[in-house]
Amino acid sequence: MKSGIISLFTNETERSTGVESQLKEKLAARGYQVAEGYDENAELLICIGGDGAFLRTMHRCDFPETPIVGVNTGHLGFFQEVWPEEFDNFIVDYELGSYTIQKLGTVMGIATTTDGKRDVHIGLNELAVTGSKSYSIHLDLSIGGKPIEKFSGDGILVATSAGSTAYNYSLGGSIVDPRLNSLQVTPLAPMNTTAYRSFTSSLMLPPDLTLGIVPEASDKVIYIHNDGIETAYSNLKEIEVRTADKCVNLIRFSDYDFWSKVKDKFL
Ligand code: NAP
């Protein structure tokens, strides 16, 4: 039984707020109750903006299971499915159930400090670990509890499949079809000299393996970035990175094809 409540999220641009007013009118005319922001009884979430707005919405709502659709207002729009001009067709398809749900996995980093504090960071795109801009960091990396390398360079990024087309791609990482539930570990400016030996390519991990990251010096400032949210640590002991339980249920219509979208957006 659907609740008839739709939660709307909009970024601050003039174009998005204009589109928001139009959509509100259309939804009200179809008998929906529109909530601004998250309503736990909503049957559908709509995010107006680009991928950045989509990421912020997911973090603000703490990755709810409620289906979500993105309305693109002129951005790159990898997560976004509908253009404002297509909104009437969208409502019809939505009511007929003519859509599929694309499940997108997330990545989780559990950070432990030297005084025993634990923080959990979730990313839909990625989780990155870096030092401050002016010096390299040295990280002991392990996979499934087995030491794999001492990384030296700017940092390490762990991307979900959905996030493979974002920062990961700019770093030379591979594009991964979101149907593959995996984590991709991509180095940021790895040093590979006779003094330091680091992998220079990405490593692909299955969903049941954990990446362990231990900074060589726990007193250096280390940053954890999850989807552009930055947290600084001056006493980081270790980070465990693995797939998280939370996932995003993204509405896609019959003509959606991941690889066509990749071609349209990148080539
Ligand atoms: P931003 O720096 O303002 O925008 C980053 C760009 O990445 C935007 O064009 C955004 O698309 C696009 N994007 C976000 N998620 C994507 C995805 N899954 N696939 C393809 N493109 C995607 O930051 P933001 O808008 O707050 O987004 C945060 C994300 O920026 C981070 O998660 C990280 O992946 C990315 N980032 C990229 C770089 C880089 O490529 N050098 C550096 C830092 C951060 P829209 O135009 O549709 O918003």
Side-chain angles (χ1 to χ4, degrees):
M1 180 69 181
K2 295 201 165 168
S3 67
I5 302 171
I6 294 185
S7 278
L8 218 51
F9 302 85
T10 311
N11 68 1
E12 300 291 302
T13 67
E14 206 177 308
R15 166 116 168 99
S16 295
T17 48
V19 167
E20 182 191 29
S21 311
Q22 291 167 15
L23 299 197
K24 268 185 182 165
E25 269 179 39
K26 287 178 191 281
L27 290 169
R30 295 292 291 198
Y32 290 102
Q33 185 187 325
V34 178
E36 276 185 39
Y38 184 58
D39 182 323
E40 61 180 11
N41 296 314
E43 61 176 66
L44 175 70
L45 313 180
I46 299 180
C47 171
I48 303 166
D51 291 325
F54 188 91
L55 292 167
R56 284 186 283 281
T57 298
M58 286 294 95
H59 280 271
R60 202 181 314 154
C61 306
D62 195 22
F63 300 91
E65 287 181 8
T66 318
I68 179 161
V69 71
V71 176
N72 198 347
T73 48
H75 300 261
L76 186 64
F78 248 86
F79 295 116
Q80 309 305 76
E81 180 68 359
V82 184
W83 287 95
E85 311 75 67
E86 302 168 335
F87 201 72
D88 291 324
N89 290 343
F90 159 72
I91 296 178
V92 172
D93 284 348
Y94 173 69
E95 290 176 351
L96 289 173
S98 303
Y99 58 85
T100 56
I101 296 281
Q102 182 181 40
K103 268 197 181 304
L104 300 178
T106 55
V107 58
M108 172 172 78
I110 304 168
T112 308
T113 57
T114 48
D115 55 9
K117 197 168 150 263
R118 275 160 69 94
D119 294 330
V120 176
H121 303 272
I122 305 270
L124 174 56
N125 271 347
E126 78 277 298
L127 195 119
V129 178
T130 66
S132 101
K133 287 183 188 71
S134 51
Y135 59 81
S136 60
I137 50 170
H138 306 279
L139 305 169
D140 284 318
L141 302 186
S142 61
I143 295 177
K146 308 268 190 322
I148 182 82
E149 69 164 325
K150 181 181 283 294
F151 170 87
S152 297
D154 285 0
I156 284 287
L157 180 138
V158 186
T160 62
S161 299
S164 67
T165 48
Y167 196 0
N168 171 72
Y169 184 61
S170 307
L171 293 169
S174 295
I175 296 176
V176 180
D177 191 311
R179 284 167 287 201
L180 292 175
N181 187 15
S182 61
L183 292 178
Q184 182 171 178
V185 184
T186 297
L188 282 82
M191 292 159 80
N192 194 31
T193 63
T194 47
Y196 300 110
R197 288 271 175 224
S198 309
F199 285 117
T200 53
S201 70
S202 297
L203 312 177
M204 295 297 301
L205 302 187
D208 58 339
L209 275 186
T210 297
L211 174 76
I213 304 175
V214 177
E216 188 180 61
S218 59
D219 55 345
K220 271 195 178 177
V221 177
I222 303 270
Y223 295 87
I224 297 184
H225 316 250
N226 50 331
D227 298 342
I229 303 162
E230 185 180 281
T231 310
Y233 287 92
S234 54
N235 59 346
L236 192 64
K237 191 173 157 213
E238 61 175 340
I239 312 164
E240 269 179 40
V241 186
R242 55 173 117 113
T243 51
D245 292 338
K246 292 178 191 284
C247 56
V248 171
N249 290 308
L250 192 53
I251 288 191
R252 297 293 193 187
F253 291 99
S254 53
D255 58 349
Y256 171 78
D257 173 63
F258 173 73
W259 290 103
S260 304
K261 196 152 200 170
V262 169
K263 184 168 173 282
D264 287 353
K265 302 286 179 188
F266 289 157
L267 297 181

